[in-house]
Structure formats: C-alpha cells, structure tokens
C-alpha cells in the first residue's frame, strides 16, 4: 500500500510531501559509503543520522513524487567534489534531504529518511517497507562481521533501479522536481562545492568518528 509521507526539516521551515511511498515505488536501502558519511559530517549531523556502522537510511524514489510545499528558499545543495553526487539539505537547520545526480535526465532522489518525520527510527519498515539492501558495506564502520550488507552495489539492484528510473522518466517526472528548473534543466540551487582543504577536514572528522565508533 502506497503512503504519502510528510517531509519536514528539523526546524519546520521547509515542508513537503513524499508521495506514494511503497516497496514497489522505490528502494529502502542503507548506504555505508564514505561520501554519505562525509555529507553528514559536513552538516554536523553524523551523530544523529549515521547508524553504528556509519550507515545512512535512504529511500530512493522518483524526484517527481518529492514535493516541497513551503520554505523552498531554504533548499541548498553541496558536492564533495566538482563531479560528485549532488547532496541536498535544508539550509535553515542543516537537515539532510536527499541525493541526486547533476542532471534531471537520470530522475531519482535518494531521500535521507531524517526529513521524513513519520519514519519511526525503531521500525522504519512500517513506512518504507522492508529494507531491500545494505550497500557499499566495504566502507562500513566497526565490526563488519555482524553487518548484513553488500560490499558495493549489487547488479540486481542497479538493474531494478534503471528500470524504475526509465519508468519515472517516461512518466515525465524529471520535468517536475524541486531539484531542477523545469525549463532550463539547471539545478535549482547553486551547489556549494567543497575545496580540497574542506574535504580533507571532513575526512579527518570521519576518521575521528570511526575511531570513536570502533
Ligand atoms: Zn529547517
Ligand atoms: Zn552512499
């Protein structure tokens, strides 16, 4: 059964709705990659967001079903490097929102579930359906023996994701997303691209966090 989930940043200035959330309409995953961890260090939200293995809970969905209804002036984005994934957040209070690529032609958003207040941290499957995959487990923190995750991204998941994305594109969802200007196809906010020094500083924070998690 599909559910419409409210979207809200922590301070409530940015609000929206994630429409039609269901196991069939997206992918409930946990990503353990370094870059997802660095994004939370950038926001200062690593303690609140990352699990004991450094994982970020994400629901990958159509960006055409993710609506911002108020506070879109607080929509900000950053990139860890000039070619990196575009990582969106609410600038009013540094709540992570989600990840996209830099072009609307590959329409998806990996929604970081911290912006979905109805997702119960203890029972996230109630709202999102069962966890489909843990991915990029080779960058996970702590004891990996106890972790049920793929080393990278399994091919079956990529294939399923491509099929979903094609369906969303055919539906025209790439033309109605808060992350891109419908006319020009440009990102709707200019990304803050980190300098080498800023990136190094985040890596040091991650190393310190890793040490404290171990
Ligand atoms: Zn806020
Ligand atoms: Zn990741």
């Amino acid at each position: 059964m599909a559910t419409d989930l409210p979207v809200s940043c922590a301070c409530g200035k940015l609000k929206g709705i994630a429409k039609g959330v269901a196991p069939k309409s997206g992918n409930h995953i946990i990503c353990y990659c370094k870059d997802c961890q660095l994004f939370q260090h950038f926001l200062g939200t690593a303690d609140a967001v990352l699990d004991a293995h450094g994982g970020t809970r994400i629901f990958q969905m159509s960006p055409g079903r993710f609506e911002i209804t108020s506070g879109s002036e607080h929509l900000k984005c950053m990139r860890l490097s000039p070619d990196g994934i575009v990582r969106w957040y609410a600038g009013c209070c540094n709540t992570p929102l989600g990840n996209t690529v830099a072009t609307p032609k590959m329409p998806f958003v990996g929604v970081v579930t911290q912006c979905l207040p109805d997702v119960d941290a203890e029972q996230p499957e109630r709202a999102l359906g069962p966890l489909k995959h843990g991915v990029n487990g080779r960058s996970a923190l702590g004891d990996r023996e106890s972790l049920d995750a793929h080393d990278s991204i399994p091919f079956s998941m990529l294939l399923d994701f491509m099929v979903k994305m094609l369906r969303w594109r055919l539906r025209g969802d790439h033309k109605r997303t808060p992350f891109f200007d419908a006319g020009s196809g440009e990102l709707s906010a200019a990304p803050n691209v980190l300098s080498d020094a800023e990136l190094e500083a985040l890596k040091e924070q991650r190393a310190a966090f890793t040490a404290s998690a171990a």
Side-chain angles (χ1 to χ4, degrees):
M1 204 183 70
T3 325
D4 290 350
L5 294 178
V7 171
S8 179
C9 66
C11 80
K13 284 184 182 156
L14 184 146
K15 286 194 182 294
I17 187 157
K19 287 186 169 172
V21 171
K24 274 190 176 173
S25 70
N27 292 315
H28 174 192
I29 63 167
I30 296 180
C31 186
Y32 297 95
C33 85
K34 277 183 195 151
D35 287 356
C36 282
Q37 295 175 35
L38 292 175
F39 178 43
Q40 300 309 327
H41 288 294
F42 167 81
L43 294 175
T45 47
D47 284 326
V49 172
L50 301 181
D51 69 17
H53 291 283
T56 303
R57 190 177 300 279
I58 287 170
F59 189 77
Q60 295 176 319
M61 63 181 287
S62 165
R65 296 285 164 103
F66 188 91
E67 265 180 40
I68 294 177
T69 51
S70 64
S72 59
E73 68 272 22
H74 300 294
L75 184 63
K76 298 265 188 300
C77 65
M78 64 84 71
R79 302 176 91 169
L80 291 164
S81 65
D83 300 323
I85 288 277
V86 182
R87 297 174 182 275
W88 298 87
Y89 60 99
C92 40
C93 58
N94 277 10
T95 300
L97 298 173
N99 309 313
T100 69
V101 290
T103 165
K105 292 177 180 169
M106 287 176 68
F108 78 92
V109 55
V111 178
V112 178
T113 58
Q114 260 64 29
C115 72
L116 304 172
D118 282 7
V119 175
D120 181 341
E122 301 300 321
Q123 296 177 303
E125 53 286 332
R126 277 195 176 178
L128 305 175
L131 181 70
K132 282 191 190 158
H133 301 284
V135 300
N136 296 317
R138 66 175 163 232
S139 304
L141 308 181
D143 174 19
R144 282 173 225 175
E145 293 297 309
S146 64
L147 182 67
D148 181 17
H150 303 274
D151 278 350
S152 58
I153 296 178
F155 183 70
S156 62
M157 177 182 153
L158 272 182
L159 199 63
D160 170 69
F161 189 48
M162 295 307 276
V163 171
K164 282 194 172 82
M165 220 161 26
L166 186 65
R167 198 184 308 142
W168 298 336
R169 178 130 189 221
L170 290 173
R171 200 164 66 188
D173 286 7
H174 59 298
K175 291 182 189 148
R176 40 172 180 262
T177 134
F179 307 112
F180 294 92
D181 181 88
S184 67
E186 299 286 320
L187 291 167
S188 56
N192 171 8
V193 181
L194 295 193
S195 67
D196 290 350
E198 287 169 326
L199 185 59
E200 280 312 308
L202 287 188
K203 286 181 180 170
E204 280 172 26
Q205 282 184 40
R206 176 177 179 265
F209 190 82
T210 304
S212 68

